[in-house]
Amino acid sequence: MNIGSVIKYYRSKNNLTQSQLADGICSISHLSKIESNTYTPHESTTEALLAKMGVQWKKEVAKRNRLERQLNDFIACALHYDTEVLKQQYSRLQQDNDYIQSTDLVNQYEIYKFRYYLYIEDLSLADQQKDMLERMKNSFTEPEAWMHQLFLSLYYSMANKKELAMEYANSLEGGIRSIPQKFEGELYYQKARLLIMHEQYELSAHYAELAVQYFRLNYNYIRLLHAQLLLAINYMRRNLLVQAAGIFEVLKRNSRLTDQKDLYNQTLYNFAELLKSRQEHNQAFDLLTELYAILSSDTYFYKAVLVSLIETAVEVGADAWKYVKELRQLSAGPGDEYFLLYLNYFEKRNFSQPDLLAYSEEKMFPFFRKHGYIRESKKIALELAEHYQREKQWEKAMYYQSYYDRNGG
């Protein structure tokens, strides 16, 4: 514990100048060195300075240890998705914010706050915290520097900067010996998420399985469910549909029993996508209809469900146009080009096949490719490759087939 920082904290709290506190105990320059932690004072000097302010050192040590326990509980709540207690712990720590700044816990505290702002998805506060940590990073220990990099990877994932997120995640492997053991599962989970976004499915499955094993061994059941969802999506993308379906069935039940609403919704959506790929459109339509009824209409996810519902309704002979009309009404914002493209695509399906293919090639494929929608661009590339093969336009057929084979470039 930094004695000098504690002395400075209480001197400021008591509105004392260095001259007033040092009077009769030590010189002002001596006190200045103590407060900057460049000099360790004699025990008698420390006791005299603290006594003058009515401070007992033993109580300060006990307070510091209590705050360390609170910090450990705080991050444990984030790692276990214990949302309500996490918010309570944050409020309690904020009450001691000024005091923590005077202790050797300050780096850990500020790094954990960064994780908290990412957890509650407050990018504005996360941005401010990121800038602060950038200024502090030269004072980080190896474990603190490792945690900082892990949370930067999470930050860039949330900011949809996948390449930067992957860069930070990859750099963590070299320092794995210095990480706190409690963050090991977070590393595996983050790597699995990023790799699945880059369509590196086999390597992603490896990390997802490590995350499942870690969370199971550490009795972290909520995070275990998240890791299992990643694994199921991974199996689905690798066409291991029986394995994926088995996990989705278990997740449907367990996410509902544990009241993990977001996880339950994600499970329904991805399970429906799997069922569509197996041509089981009626069951997929039932799952999507359930999602449609429970989601808030002002979310991106709701509009994604509408797109999937339109596709499935066409297959089962249900009324797709009511979903088309609703999606059209909801997709008037500047960030809705993705949904508008799909709306135009569905509407063109009633006209000629050549028009539909031309729209896919000239509008949808360039947009999906530019904005990193790998699955969507691959799907259209395959459709165009097959079309041009039938038309014996070999150059174009080879271009789109090569794009598809390269996992989206």
Side-chain angles (χ1 to χ4, degrees):
M1 190 168 179
N2 297 326
I3 296 172
S5 298
V6 173
I7 290 171
K8 183 178 180 180
Y9 168 78
Y10 279 108
R11 180 178 64 77
S12 299
K13 187 176 181 181
N14 286 284
N15 295 315
L16 295 172
T17 65
Q18 285 188 331
S19 175
Q20 289 171 325
L21 180 58
D23 186 35
I25 300 174
C26 61
S27 67
I28 296 173
S29 62
H30 195 65
L31 176 58
S32 180
K33 290 178 182 177
I34 292 171
E35 289 189 347
S36 64
N37 295 300
T38 57
Y39 173 78
T40 303
H42 190 275
E43 187 176 332
S44 60
T45 304
T46 302
E47 289 177 354
L49 291 169
L50 292 173
K52 191 169 185 178
M53 296 183 290
V55 178
Q56 297 180 30
W57 182 245
K58 286 184 178 180
K59 286 187 177 180
E60 296 311 303
V61 172
K63 183 175 182 178
R64 183 260 179 216
N65 291 340
R66 172 180 62 78
L67 288 169
E68 184 176 29
R69 290 193 298 272
Q70 279 183 236
L71 276 172
N72 287 333
D73 290 342
F74 178 56
I75 198 62
C77 288
L79 294 174
H80 287 79
Y81 271 59
D82 190 355
T83 305
E84 291 307 313
V85 178
L86 176 67
K87 292 176 180 177
Q88 293 168 15
Q89 290 283 13
Y90 175 75
S91 296
R92 289 176 61 197
L93 287 166
Q94 283 292 91
Q95 293 171 13
D96 285 308
N97 178 76
D98 292 343
Y99 184 82
I100 294 172
Q101 301 300 323
S102 72
T103 71
D104 57 340
L105 300 172
V106 61
N107 288 351
Q108 190 177 336
Y109 169 62
E110 297 297 349
I111 292 168
Y112 286 176
K113 278 168 63 179
F114 186 36
R115 178 68 183 95
Y116 174 73
Y117 297 145
L118 295 174
Y119 183 96
I120 62 173
E121 299 183 359
D122 191 326
L123 270 179
S124 175
L125 287 175
D127 284 338
Q128 295 173 34
Q129 197 68 9
K130 181 176 77 71
D131 293 342
M132 177 191 290
L133 292 173
E134 182 64 26
R135 296 191 294 270
M136 296 172 62
K137 68 179 183 181
N138 289 336
S139 66
F140 291 168
T141 63
E142 281 190 31
E144 289 168 351
W146 193 95
M147 288 187 291
H148 180 222
Q149 284 190 287
L150 173 62
F151 299 159
L152 280 172
S153 180
L154 298 175
Y155 168 85
Y156 286 117
S157 293
M158 187 175 293
N160 203 29
K161 296 181 178 179
K162 294 183 287 188
E163 299 304 326
L164 261 177
M166 180 63 87
E167 185 180 319
Y168 276 103
N170 286 337
S171 71
L172 296 170
E173 297 282 0
I176 198 164
R177 294 180 182 276
S178 64
I179 72 169
Q181 188 265 344
K182 59 191 171 188
F183 289 104
E184 195 174 330
E186 289 296 296
L187 169 63
Y188 299 146
Y189 183 79
Q190 174 68 352
K191 289 277 287 191
R193 280 185 70 244
L194 289 170
L195 287 163
I196 208 170
M197 290 164 70
H198 286 79
E199 302 219 341
Q200 298 181 38
Y201 296 129
E202 289 190 19
L203 191 53
S204 174
H206 166 70
Y207 283 104
E209 286 163 357
L210 286 176
V212 165
Q213 181 181 3
Y214 176 89
F215 292 133
R216 182 180 289 124
L217 288 173
N218 288 273
Y219 308 106
N220 192 340
Y221 299 119
I222 302 303
R223 300 297 282 124
L224 173 60
L225 296 178
H226 286 87
Q228 287 174 327
L229 177 59
L230 263 184
L231 195 56
I233 294 172
N234 208 301
Y235 286 160
M236 179 173 67
R237 301 282 175 84
R238 292 161 66 199
N239 215 31
L240 302 172
L241 302 184
V242 174
Q243 295 91 325
I247 298 176
F248 282 135
E249 288 286 7
V250 172
L251 279 172
K252 267 182 63 185
R253 180 180 64 250
N254 289 342
S255 57
R256 178 177 55 79
L257 289 172
T258 54
D259 199 31
Q260 295 296 306
K261 293 183 175 64
D262 289 342
L263 189 64
Y264 180 74
N265 295 342
Q266 290 287 344
T267 299
L268 291 187
Y269 179 79
N270 284 285
F271 196 8
E273 293 298 302
L274 180 148
L275 293 166
K276 284 161 62 177
S277 70
R278 295 202 308 201
Q279 307 301 310
E280 298 177 26
H281 296 291
N282 284 297
Q283 190 179 347
F285 187 73
D286 290 342
L287 294 180
L288 291 167
T289 303
E290 180 183 348
L291 260 182
Y292 174 73
I294 60 180
L295 288 176
S296 173
S297 62
D298 60 352
T299 63
Y300 186 94
F301 189 26
Y302 182 82
K303 289 185 281 190
V305 169
L306 280 175
V307 169
S308 197
L309 258 175
I310 293 166
E311 292 176 336
T312 316
V314 170
E315 296 294 338
V316 300
D319 179 13
W321 286 104
K322 71 172 185 178
Y323 304 122
V324 169
K325 289 176 184 175
E326 184 175 3
L327 185 57
R328 178 72 70 184
Q329 289 173 348
L330 294 172
S331 301
D336 288 326
E337 189 174 353
Y338 175 92
F339 300 108
L340 292 172
L341 283 168
Y342 265 112
L343 281 167
N344 293 334
Y345 176 82
F346 288 125
E347 289 167 353
K348 287 178 184 295
R349 287 178 66 158
N350 292 327
F351 301 100
S352 68
Q353 182 69 10
D355 285 347
L356 190 63
L357 285 166
Y359 185 77
S360 296
E361 183 171 18
E362 295 167 11
K363 298 291 186 181
M364 298 183 80
F365 180 74
F367 176 84
F368 292 148
R369 185 177 181 183
K370 178 181 177 181
H371 294 282
Y373 292 102
I374 297 175
R375 267 199 310 156
E376 290 87 343
S377 59
K378 281 182 64 178
K379 181 180 177 182
I380 291 177
L382 185 59
E383 289 175 358
L384 292 170
E386 291 172 347
H387 166 70
Y388 285 120
Q389 284 168 16
R390 289 191 298 269
E391 295 296 314
K392 296 184 179 181
Q393 296 187 38
W394 305 118
E395 188 175 344
K396 283 192 171 186
M398 184 175 292
Y399 170 76
Y400 287 112
Q401 187 65 50
S402 297
Y403 182 89
Y404 179 83
D405 292 339
R406 291 199 315 271
N407 291 322

